[in-house]
Amino acid sequence: MMNPEKNPVNPVSIGVVGAGTMGNGIAQVVARAGHTVILHDVSEEFLNRGMSAVDKSLQRDVDKERLDVPGKQAIVERIRTTTDFAAFKDASFVIEAVTENLAVKTEVFKTLDQITPPHAILASNTSSISITKLGAATKRPDKVIGMHFMNPVPVMKLVEVIRGMATSDETYERVRTLSE
């Protein structure tokens, strides 16, 4: 049986904005890698739906004996849900996975820029929106990067890392290391 192992590159906590298909999958993968996750969405209903999807996905792994019950429980317990962006005040890394709409994503990045510590990296799961444009909505474009996960996230072991024009080498290396 496989159990999750602690990741040696573990930031204090990793935020995920959006509990839909991509967001809940990202939260699951991040928690399975041993990280603490703060999963945010606009309503408890969306959060409950997202956590139900995580539970069902992990249960399939239990049923196929790729994970044991205590391992599943440990993963789920590493995911905390919230509707309050203030929960990201100590996050060192946040991955945005909201609807593929520039205006919506820009507002999320503006909010995260105000709430998260200055050293925090802000990543987007976008597949088509400019990382440079998202970075321009913040005071830290050097710490804005794309992390495009493939669907279904818990199955696909591929993350496309996308730099914006201002993304620093340090940000890129931290994201590459975390992705690996």
Side-chain angles (χ1 to χ4, degrees):
M1 297 258 190
M2 290 176 49
N3 278 312
E5 295 179 21
K6 272 287 192 208
N7 189 319
V9 190
N10 194 3
V12 174
S13 63
I14 295 179
V16 177
V17 181
T21 300
M22 297 305 290
N24 72 60
I26 294 167
Q28 177 183 327
V29 167
V30 170
R32 192 166 185 154
H35 300 280
T36 301
V37 179
I38 303 165
L39 179 61
H40 174 278
D41 213 311
V42 296
S43 75
E44 290 293 333
E45 176 188 351
F46 294 151
L47 290 167
N48 290 338
R49 200 177 307 157
M51 288 305 295
S52 176
V54 169
D55 185 72
K56 287 178 187 170
S57 175
L58 292 172
Q59 187 58 48
R60 279 191 294 273
D61 283 348
V62 170
D63 294 345
K64 293 179 181 181
E65 298 184 352
R66 294 186 295 224
L67 183 68
D68 60 23
V69 173
K72 173 188 172 186
Q73 183 177 353
I75 293 165
V76 171
E77 287 174 357
R78 280 194 287 276
I79 304 172
R80 191 180 68 178
T81 62
T82 185
T83 57
D84 186 358
F85 271 109
F88 296 125
K89 69 180 177 54
D90 296 322
S92 58
F93 202 100
V94 181
I95 304 166
E96 164 276 314
V98 300
T99 188
E100 199 69 4
N101 176 295
L102 178 61
V104 173
K105 287 182 183 291
T106 298
E107 281 307 307
V108 168
F109 273 81
K110 285 180 181 178
T111 301
L112 291 172
D113 190 45
Q114 294 171 2
I115 291 169
T116 58
H119 68 271
I121 291 175
L122 305 179
S124 177
N125 184 53
T126 187
S127 60
S128 62
I129 294 174
S130 164
I131 299 304
T132 301
K133 285 183 182 178
L134 293 175
T138 73
K139 293 178 180 151
R140 63 178 101 189
D142 61 313
K143 292 182 177 61
V144 175
I145 194 162
M147 282 184 86
H148 181 218
F149 291 80
M150 305 300 149
N151 191 22
V153 179
V155 176
M156 301 295 289
K157 296 181 185 226
L158 178 64
V159 178
E160 178 185 22
V161 179
I162 309 138
R163 295 175 75 136
M165 289 184 70
T167 305
S168 71
D169 291 341
E170 179 186 355
T171 297
Y172 170 79
E173 286 303 323
R174 285 185 61 201
V175 171
R176 185 182 62 78
T177 300
L178 180 65
S179 297
E180 288 175 351

